Amino acid sequence: CCYLLFFQSLAHPGVYELRQERNDRAIRQTAKYIKAKFPGKKVVLCTNDVGNINHAAREGIEVMSWK
């Protein structure tokens, strides 16, 4: 179960991509994977990173900030 989640949400580094950008992308991919794996359940990505909020919104991920 957890092993499958790891490989299905694995984010390989992009060209000229910073480590933090890759980590943010991996978190968004995991949120999308969980949403697809459990239809009907609400998945919300909580972050204070404005760039991550914008990317998540563009990718159709429900996102909120706790600030």
Side-chain angles (χ1 to χ4, degrees):
C1 172
C2 294
Y3 192 68
L4 179 63
L5 171 64
F6 172 75
F7 279 108
Q8 298 238 345
S9 60
L10 185 63
H12 295 286
V15 178
Y16 304 114
E17 184 177 48
L18 299 174
R19 188 177 313 167
Q20 184 61 38
E21 292 169 344
R22 181 197 160 277
N23 290 341
D24 289 346
R25 187 168 48 86
I27 292 168
R28 292 191 308 271
Q29 284 181 342
T30 301
K32 287 191 287 189
Y33 173 80
I34 292 171
K35 184 178 179 181
K37 200 70 172 163
F38 301 101
K41 299 292 182 183
K42 187 173 185 173
V43 177
V44 180
L45 176 63
C46 296
T47 180
N48 283 337
D49 184 343
V50 176
N52 205 13
I53 290 171
N54 293 335
H55 281 292
R58 274 187 262 144
E59 294 174 12
I61 301 168
E62 190 169 344
V63 62
M64 65 179 286
S65 172
W66 61 80
K67 280 189 176 179

